[in-house]
Each structure stands twice: as C-alpha cells, then as structure tokens.
Amino acid sequence: MAVDIVMPQMGESIFEGTITKWLKKPGDKVERDEPLFEISTDKVDAEIPSPSAGVLKEIKVGEGQTVPIQTIVGVIDAAGSAAPAAAPAPAAPKPSAPAPAAAPVAAALVSSGSTGERIHSSPLVRRMAKEHGIDLSTIEGTGAGGRISKQDIEAVIASVGAPAGAAPGYSAPATPSRPAPPPAPAAAPGVSGGQAHVALETAVAREKMYFGNYEVQPMSTMRQRIAEHMVASKRVSAHVYSVDEIDMTKVAALRAKSKDEFERRYETKLTFMPFFVKAAVAGLRAFPTLNASLDGINVILHKEINVGIAVALDWGLLVPVVKNADEKNILGIQRNMNDLAERARSKKLKPEEVQESTFSITNPGTFGGLFGLPVISQPNVGILGLGAIEKRPVVINDSIAIRSMCYVTLSYDHRVVDGAVAHQFLHKVKETLENWSEPVL
C-alpha cells in the first residue's frame, strides 16, 4: 500500500516549506515516526517524521525546493517491498513564476487602488511586499487556491531590476570557479530613476566582490530568513543603544554555592541566564513601555511577559520564547530554557514556540564577547545583550576590589522608547542583580 508523504503545516500562519535535506533515499527502509526529511519555514527548521513504516519508494520534491503545504513530496511503500529505487528528484532552485501579462512589473509597484478582496498570502509574502513597495492585489498567485507564494513575490521583485531578456534574479555560481560578474541590470519599463540607480549600485558592488581567489557558498534557507529579518528590523526600527555595567559578585557566589545541589536535586544545570531573565522581568514590570510592540500609530502594551532567548545553532540562530516568564521561578525558567534550547538544536521546535515574544535577550558573553549591540527582534521594541562575566578591579568605597563584572546593553526602538526610560530599565535590572535576594533551592 502506497502512503503519501506531504509537506506538513507547521503553524496557522505557515503555508509553504522548503525541503532542506532528505534523511533517507529511495529504497531505504523507514520506521513510523523516524525522521524522514528536514524542512525550513518562516519560523523554524524541523525534522519531519515518517507517517508510516515501510520503504521509501519515491522522492517527488528535491532538496532546496519550496512547495505549498499538503503537497505530496514523496511516497512510502507501506507493504515494505523494496521496488527498484527511483532516482531522487534533483535539487533545484526555487521556480520563478513570471509576472502575469495582465499585471506588468510597473503595475506591481504600490498603487492607490485596491479591490477590497481578501488576498491569500503568508506573513512573509506580505512583509516582502511591504518592504519592496508592491501591491499584492496586482499579482496573480500560482499557489493552492490562488495563494500568492514566496516565488510569486520574488519573481516580481527580481524582474524589477533584471535586464531585458534575462531570467529574473541573480544566481550565484555553484562551483568555486571564478565566474564573470553579472552585467549591470538595465531599468525595467516603469522603474523610477532611483530604483535604476540602486540596481546599478548593486551590480557594481557584486563586481567588486568577485576578485582574487574565492569560494561561493549559497546561503541556507535559514540564513536567508535571518538576513531578511535583520534587514527588515534595521529598516523598520529606529535603533538606539545604552550600555551599563553590573556587579554580578553576589549572584556568582550564590550560583557557585548552589549549582551542584541544584543539579543533583532537579537534574538540570543552573546557569546565569535565569537570573538575567528574572531581572529583565522586574525591569519590564517597572517600565512596561519596553514590553510593547508598535502597530502603525498604536503602541501595544502587552500584559504577558514572554521573553525570547537567542540560541546559537551550528547552522544559524533561533529565538525560542519563554512564555509567561513573570510567573516562573528560577527553576521553572531554567527548565523551560533548557528544553527549548535542546529541541532547537535537534530541530524539534514548534512554530508557536518561537512566536509571541514581547522582549528578547541575547548572550554574546557566552562566546567571550565583552558586549554587543544586538538588532531588535521584531516586533519587540527592545533586546538585552549580555557580555561576559569576568573578574575586574573596581573602586568600592574608595578602595580597589576584585569583583565579577558584566557589561549589559539595551537596543531599543526610539519610536517608542526614550533614552530616559531605557536607562531607568537598565538601572532596575542592575539593582535587581546586585541586590539579589530570591533563593534558588
């Protein structure tokens, strides 16, 4: 009996996924719920389990291809008879749908009119359209039910700067040999002089990049998503940075005294991060403007405190969220963080576990950084950056003492948060940690 393998829906707002890796090849035996392939979406990278035991009979969608949810990507022979192995579908670049003849590129740029009909598209597509000034009502979707897919919007974006007669977009060479730099793109009909100037600058920049001895490495799907999010955040938020220094001696002594018993009793390690989360919660309670997001001219003050914790992976970065952090003690936060981090590294996170953060924390100090100036994780208006905790000489009561010190930085959106509030928040974080009184056992 043949069992179809489909692209799963990894969340309510996710309508497509990219197959990044097949873990089995045609002819391989698989067990039910055994990891079968890996996908990447707007939100997470995940391993997808086999829907049935049997033999992988056919791969219909190759690595690197993006397809809508519920698309059949492969077939399993549940009877277990190994048919002659079909060659796996070749990895291919994402198909680029041409702009519909009824809606030329120039018409795809923002127009004053709107049909008023509901446009079927994902949040990623809507964000890309907003960033590039594209009116989605002028695009004919090629996805299921007329949905506008990522390929549709990419085709329109690419065709704006593509030379006449050339395929939309720029494709990096797959081999380390040195290709000739792409020619400067000509302005498409209807494209403004400013857009043509940007396209020319981009072509010149590419030409400057291709020199000497080099190797071309295509960006992974996750790296592309990170790039999109970071550029969007810098474009949207008015980033300002504040720096403070915290004496962590009291917390460091408490952790050193308690960590062995903590691990023995609760079977989990005690790190510094839960202390910073608790201190951030105290700051957010005192200054709720930082526990907010911006919607047009409306500031949304969130009642829940959901803290996103940046997790560095071998293949990128994710920000899983500790929900209702204000309701958890040190143990609860530590267990929640350890669980999220472990499942992030094993590609077992659910999309909802990286959503709905109201504030974020990142810890470059883990890798020895003195401090960093992180980019705000949208739609938050603030992110706390933690430097390394290290012993330094400081002046206390006109005497020099050796203390465990840590630089912290706050990146905040100046559209919502003023400098006075930012520094008051940091002072509350500092005060909470330097005068720590909550037990950990």
Side-chain angles (χ1 to χ4, degrees):
M1 180 181 69
V3 176
D4 290 336
I5 309 165
V6 301
M7 175 64 71
Q9 182 166 16
M10 297 296 293
E12 291 184 4
S13 63
I14 296 176
F15 301 100
E16 61 186 13
T18 301
I19 293 184
T20 55
K21 185 178 182 180
W22 279 96
L23 304 176
K24 299 287 184 179
K25 61 181 183 295
D28 285 353
K29 186 175 180 180
V30 295
E31 300 295 333
R32 181 180 176 85
D33 295 329
E34 181 182 6
L36 188 57
F37 61 100
E38 296 178 358
I39 67 169
S40 182
T41 70
D42 285 11
K43 308 298 181 185
V44 293
D45 281 9
E47 287 183 346
I48 305 303
S50 173
S52 172
V55 171
L56 181 58
K57 182 179 180 181
E58 182 183 3
I59 291 176
K60 292 179 175 287
V61 177
E63 294 177 357
Q65 291 184 285
T66 302
V67 294
I69 59 170
Q70 303 307 318
T71 298
I72 297 174
V73 299
V75 178
I76 288 176
D77 181 2
S81 57
K94 299 174 185 177
S96 297
V105 171
L109 299 176
V110 169
S111 64
S112 58
S114 176
T115 63
E117 297 179 357
R118 182 180 178 185
I119 298 173
H120 296 280
S121 61
S122 69
L124 173 63
V125 167
R126 292 193 292 273
R127 185 175 69 248
M128 292 173 68
K130 184 177 180 180
E131 290 173 7
H132 293 273
I134 294 173
D135 184 356
L136 290 177
S137 66
T138 64
I139 301 176
E140 181 180 341
T142 61
R147 178 175 299 281
I148 299 174
S149 69
K150 183 168 177 281
Q151 287 75 31
D152 295 329
I153 192 74
E154 284 178 338
V156 174
I157 293 169
S159 61
V160 168
Y170 169 74
S171 179
T175 65
S177 59
R178 283 186 284 172
V191 177
S192 69
Q195 290 169 324
H197 180 67
V198 169
L200 179 60
E201 284 186 340
T202 302
V204 171
R206 284 178 182 151
E207 189 169 348
K208 288 180 179 178
M209 284 190 292
Y210 283 85
F211 63 88
N213 188 18
Y214 62 84
E215 176 184 353
V216 176
Q217 293 185 346
M219 294 174 75
S220 66
T221 302
M222 173 178 276
R223 195 78 253 164
Q224 293 176 47
R225 299 292 179 269
I226 292 172
E228 291 168 1
H229 295 165
M230 295 300 97
V231 170
S233 183
K234 293 292 283 188
R235 182 183 294 122
V236 168
S237 292
H239 281 66
V240 183
Y241 311 95
S242 294
V243 183
D244 209 333
E245 189 176 25
I246 299 176
D247 186 343
M248 293 291 293
T249 303
K250 192 169 185 177
V251 170
L254 176 62
R255 175 179 174 270
K257 178 182 176 181
S258 308
K259 63 180 182 178
D260 292 340
E261 176 63 18
F262 189 92
E263 184 171 0
R264 186 193 67 79
R265 186 182 299 183
Y266 303 124
E267 298 181 346
T268 188
K269 291 184 177 180
L270 177 62
T271 67
F272 282 105
M273 183 60 81
F275 296 93
F276 284 105
V277 172
K278 292 288 287 185
V281 165
L284 295 171
R285 280 175 171 163
F287 303 97
T289 305
L290 274 152
N291 195 54
S293 54
L294 189 64
D295 181 17
I297 59 172
N298 298 316
V299 177
I300 303 169
L301 299 174
H302 300 288
K303 301 299 183 182
E304 300 90 358
I305 297 180
N306 301 332
V307 181
I309 309 291
V311 175
L313 308 171
D314 291 341
W315 58 94
L317 181 74
L318 282 176
V319 188
V321 181
V322 176
K323 303 287 180 71
N324 300 307
D326 53 325
E327 299 176 2
K328 295 179 170 66
N329 59 12
I330 289 289
L331 174 61
I333 293 172
Q334 185 72 74
R335 277 184 169 163
N336 198 173
M337 285 172 36
N338 289 350
D339 172 61
L340 290 170
E342 182 180 344
R343 288 191 292 112
R345 295 186 179 100
S346 61
K347 301 185 178 180
K348 297 288 194 301
L349 279 180
K350 301 174 183 177
E352 58 267 24
E353 292 173 323
V354 295
Q355 295 174 322
E356 299 179 1
S357 70
T358 60
F359 187 78
S360 300
I361 300 177
T362 183
N363 187 13
T366 299
F367 307 101
L370 191 61
F371 66 84
L373 302 175
V375 177
I376 296 168
S377 179
Q378 298 297 322
N380 301 168
V381 296
I383 180 170
L384 188 68
L386 311 178
I389 299 173
E390 54 186 22
K391 291 186 176 181
R392 291 196 290 270
V394 296
V395 177
I396 299 177
N397 297 327
D398 293 332
S399 298
I400 296 177
I402 304 300
R403 311 290 286 182
S404 296
M405 305 300 293
C406 175
Y407 287 110
V408 293
T409 60
L410 178 67
S411 305
Y412 56 97
D413 190 338
H414 212 346
R415 298 177 304 166
V416 179
V417 183
D418 291 331
V421 174
H423 282 279
Q424 287 173 314
F425 168 84
L426 280 179
H427 181 75
K428 184 64 177 180
V429 172
K430 174 185 176 77
E431 182 182 55
T432 302
L433 290 166
E434 291 185 345
N435 299 286
W436 189 267
S437 59
E438 182 179 333
V440 298
L441 293 173

